[in-house]
């Protein structure tokens, strides 16, 4: 199965992708995580991506598409995909469709997590994450058991530089039109599942699992 999680920044893509990928035996690929890892490693790709990410802008397609297509060629990606944060533009979606079609594959469904924009600023500015294992927390809605420490691995939690209010606003402005354009693109393909992303995280997981169960051929 090859799935895409679509949604504005803070909609809960990363939170839900980790849970669903484990439950469904899919490889979770987040292009945001890939860029942050490259930036932390100080690679040329990471330095270039960082310039855009720190401003809340999209990394150019010519960088992003090549990186993602190379990743999904690897053997561990053949078990199935849970894409989080890709595609983010129509050229990215078209490149993904072409690459998969070349191997006789396709995207099975796109799960569009919908959350009112008024909730997203609070979600993002309160987010903390683990730089070691990637676990995601929130100071109000999902605090760690011990302040500042990851429940999973004990590492010190950090805040993302692009979760400052001014950058969050730019991210929302940047992503709004593209997210709707992508929803239309996949709606026309009959693959879009719109999922209410408000309420408890577990309830949202249940809604996503229910949507997945409606995909033709889904186990
Ligand atoms: P990326 O890392 O993909 O960031 P994003 O899309 O902005 O999404 P986020 O990770 O911020 O949010 P999320 O939806 O995963 O929410 P989360 O689960 O963490 O991209 C970062 C940057 O990289 C981009 O700005 C761009 O520059 C670049 N980039 C990446 N991909 C690209 C691409 N394809 N093309 C070009 N550029 C690209 O949840 C958020 C918070 O809410 C957490 O604290 C969580 O605990 C909390 N929360 C989750 N669910 C709930 C709930 N139900 N109730 C209350 N709180 C909740």
């Amino acid at each position: 199965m090859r799935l895409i999680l679509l949604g504005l920044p803070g909609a809960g893509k990363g939170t839900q992708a980790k849970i669903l990928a484990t439950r469904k035996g899919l490889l979770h690929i987040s292009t945001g995580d890939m860029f942050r890892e490259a930036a932390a490693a100080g690679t040329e790709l990471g330095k270039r991506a960082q310039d855009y990410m720190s401003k809340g802008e999209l990394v150019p397609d010519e960088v992003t598409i090549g990186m993602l297509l190379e990743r999904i060629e690897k053997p561990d990606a053949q078990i199935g995909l849970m894409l989080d944060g890709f595609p983010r533009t129509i050229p990215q979606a078209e490149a993904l469709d072409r690459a998969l079609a070349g191997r006789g594959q396709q995207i099975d469904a796109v799960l569009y997590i919908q959350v009112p924009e008024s909730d997203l600023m609070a979600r993002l500015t309160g987010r903390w994450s683990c730089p070691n294992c990637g676990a995601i927390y929130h100071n109000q809605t999902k605090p760690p058991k011990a302040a500042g420490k990851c429940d999973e691995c004990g590492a010190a939690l950090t805040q993302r530089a692009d979760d400052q209010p001014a950058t969050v606003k730019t991210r929302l402005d940047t992503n709004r039109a593209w997210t709707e354009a992508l929803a239309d693109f996949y709606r026309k393909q009959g693959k879009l599942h719109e999922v209410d992303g408000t309420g408890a995280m577990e309830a949202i997981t249940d809604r996503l699992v229910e949507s997945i169960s409606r995909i033709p051929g889904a186990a």
Side-chain angles (χ1 to χ4, degrees):
M1 203 158 41
R2 290 170 199 83
L3 305 176
I4 292 170
L5 278 187
L6 181 66
L8 285 172
K13 303 181 296 296
T15 299
Q16 298 295 339
K18 288 181 206 318
I19 299 168
L20 294 174
T22 304
R23 279 208 203 170
K24 299 288 172 190
L26 306 172
L27 179 70
H28 173 207
I29 299 179
S30 154
T31 40
D33 286 349
M34 291 175 81
F35 286 136
R36 281 184 287 278
E37 281 158 20
T43 65
E44 278 312 308
L45 170 83
K47 285 182 203 155
R48 184 150 179 225
Q50 187 63 35
D51 283 345
Y52 295 92
M53 294 170 79
S54 61
K55 290 185 264 182
E57 296 170 2
L58 294 185
V59 180
D61 284 345
E62 81 248 23
V63 177
T64 309
I65 291 171
M67 176 183 79
L68 188 280
L69 295 187
E70 196 178 304
R71 181 67 188 87
I72 65 171
E73 288 285 332
K74 297 200 170 152
D76 64 343
Q78 306 318 310
I79 57 167
L81 298 172
M82 170 63 67
L83 298 179
D84 157 14
F86 187 98
R88 248 188 174 92
T89 65
I90 298 295
Q92 291 181 15
E94 290 171 341
L96 178 63
D97 274 358
R98 274 196 304 275
L100 291 175
R103 306 202 303 248
Q105 300 171 344
Q106 61 167 354
I107 291 298
D108 296 296
V110 177
L111 307 166
Y112 182 13
I113 306 179
Q114 295 182 304
V115 177
E117 278 198 41
S118 51
D119 292 357
L120 298 177
M121 181 66 80
R123 283 199 186 186
L124 291 173
T125 53
R127 171 168 57 187
W128 288 81
S129 40
C130 176
N132 183 46
C133 72
I136 302 170
Y137 299 89
H138 189 277
N139 58 13
Q140 303 285 323
T141 56
K142 195 182 179 229
K145 292 188 185 102
K149 292 252 164 56
C150 180
D151 295 350
E152 308 294 326
C153 69
L157 300 178
T158 56
Q159 276 195 296
R160 274 171 46 177
D162 62 349
D163 279 346
Q164 297 303 314
T167 318
V168 168
K169 184 177 179 314
T170 308
R171 285 164 61 200
L172 292 172
D173 290 344
T174 303
N175 282 280
R176 194 176 294 117
W178 277 122
T179 303
E180 273 310 308
L182 285 165
D184 271 352
F185 179 88
Y186 289 112
R187 194 177 284 118
K188 283 181 189 138
Q189 293 189 2
K191 292 180 179 169
L192 193 76
H193 297 244
E194 298 181 63
V195 178
D196 177 3
T198 61
M201 292 174 201
E202 298 74 18
I204 298 160
T205 306
D206 290 345
R207 288 174 209 143
L208 290 163
V209 168
E210 200 275 324
S211 290
I212 293 171
S213 72
R214 286 190 277 112
I215 300 168

